């Protein structure tokens, strides 16, 4: 957690947050990403994406927008809800309006977050958005034991909320995975496909 807090403080300084908003926002994000039912959409996922973004730094056009999207893209996450991305994007917009980021940068951050509603077709021509998707889906290129752990964690998130029975989860999950398999290309950037 200490390393994540340091990374957040560096980001917040680059974004132009004051000290109070820097602390308050991290506390809010910590409370969200630490919700007890989060088995996958938690700080581990955010930390993994921050590491991947550092590895792909040369390919990212707008570093600050890309990193902001990482911090906020799963901030609001309730299994089975269809408006998580919209709510996360709205939260990001509200908080980032207190920073010194330009409106066009905040708009890009919001667009990246909204694009992570993966049940919809990918329609962006923005290179950073395409790379963000590839890194967010990097788990599918990890060793099989990581993929199986990911799947168990998603399963655990949904069932821990008791919102619907396991057979219903299995149906929805298989539909989602089938959509991923039916895509012409899961990864959109040539370099990530080759990695």
């Amino acid at each position: 957690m200490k390393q994540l807090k340091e990374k957040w403080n560096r980001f917040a300084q680059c974004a132009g947050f004051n000290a109070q908003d820097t602390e308050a926002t991290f506390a809010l994000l910590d409370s969200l990403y630490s919700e007890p039912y989060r088995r996958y959409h938690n700080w581990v996922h955010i930390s993994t994406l921050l590491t991947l973004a550092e590895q792909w730094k040369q390919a990212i056009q707008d570093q600050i927008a890309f990193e902001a999207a990482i911090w906020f893209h799963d901030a609001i996450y309730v299994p089975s809800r269809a408006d998580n991305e919209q709510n996360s994007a709205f939260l990001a917009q509200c908080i980032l309006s207190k920073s010194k980021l330009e409106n066009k940068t905040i708009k890009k951050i919001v667009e990246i977050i909204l694009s992570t509603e993966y049940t919809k077709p990918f329609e962006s021509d923005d290179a950073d958005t395409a790379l963000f998707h590839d890194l967010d889906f990097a788990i599918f290129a990890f060793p099989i034991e990581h993929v199986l752990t990911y799947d168990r964690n998603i399963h655990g998130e949904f069932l821990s909320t008791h919102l619907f029975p396991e057979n219903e989860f299995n149906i929805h999950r298989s539909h989602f995975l089938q959509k991923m398999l039916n895509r012409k290309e899961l990864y959109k950037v040539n370099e990530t496909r080759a990695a």
Side-chain angles (χ1 to χ4, degrees):
M1 183 58 70
K2 180 182 177 184
Q3 190 176 25
L4 269 172
K5 181 73 183 301
E6 289 171 354
K7 288 183 178 182
W8 167 258
N9 287 343
R10 285 195 295 271
F11 165 78
Q13 185 175 19
C14 291
F17 281 108
N18 64 38
Q20 184 178 354
D21 288 335
T22 295
E23 289 297 315
T25 302
F26 187 82
L28 173 61
L29 290 173
D30 187 35
S31 70
L32 293 169
Y33 284 115
S34 300
E35 288 171 318
Y37 60 83
R38 292 191 187 230
R39 313 284 175 83
Y40 177 75
H41 296 89
N42 54 28
W43 277 132
V44 174
H45 176 53
I46 300 306
S47 181
T48 300
L49 279 177
L50 290 169
T51 300
L52 288 169
E54 184 62 32
Q55 293 169 4
W56 288 89
K57 190 173 185 177
Q58 300 304 318
I60 299 172
Q61 297 175 357
D62 189 335
Q63 299 282 338
I64 197 82
F66 200 96
E67 184 173 348
I70 291 174
W71 288 108
F72 287 97
H73 80 288
D74 283 329
I76 306 296
Y77 177 73
V78 179
S80 83
R81 288 193 63 99
D83 58 356
N84 290 318
E85 293 78 15
Q86 290 90 340
N87 291 333
S88 294
F90 180 71
L91 177 67
Q93 187 170 30
C94 290
I95 290 175
L96 293 168
S97 67
K98 298 178 180 181
S99 73
K100 293 182 179 177
L101 295 178
E102 295 181 2
N103 287 336
K104 67 177 183 178
T105 302
I106 296 174
K107 183 174 183 287
K108 178 171 180 170
I109 295 161
V110 166
E111 288 172 353
I112 292 174
I113 295 171
L114 289 173
S115 77
T116 62
E117 187 179 344
Y118 294 122
T119 56
K120 294 182 178 179
F122 181 77
E123 297 177 344
S124 176
D125 58 0
D126 178 67
D128 281 348
T129 302
L131 180 61
F132 193 94
H133 282 222
D134 285 2
L135 299 189
D136 204 20
F137 277 144
I139 185 65
F140 291 112
F142 285 12
I144 187 62
E145 59 268 21
H146 293 272
V147 179
L148 293 174
T149 298
Y150 153 77
D151 205 57
R152 283 193 297 271
N153 287 338
I154 295 292
H155 178 264
E157 283 181 340
F158 276 80
L159 296 186
S160 67
T161 59
H162 307 291
L163 295 174
F164 45 77
E166 184 162 4
N167 64 327
E168 190 175 335
F169 164 79
N170 290 335
I171 291 169
H172 286 286
R173 185 66 180 161
S174 62
H175 285 168
F176 172 77
L177 292 174
Q178 191 61 53
K179 280 184 180 179
M180 297 299 103
L181 288 171
N182 289 342
R183 287 186 175 189
K184 184 178 177 182
E185 293 169 332
L186 179 59
Y187 299 108
K188 299 164 181 64
V189 180
N190 290 335
E191 291 78 8
T192 57
R193 284 199 298 269

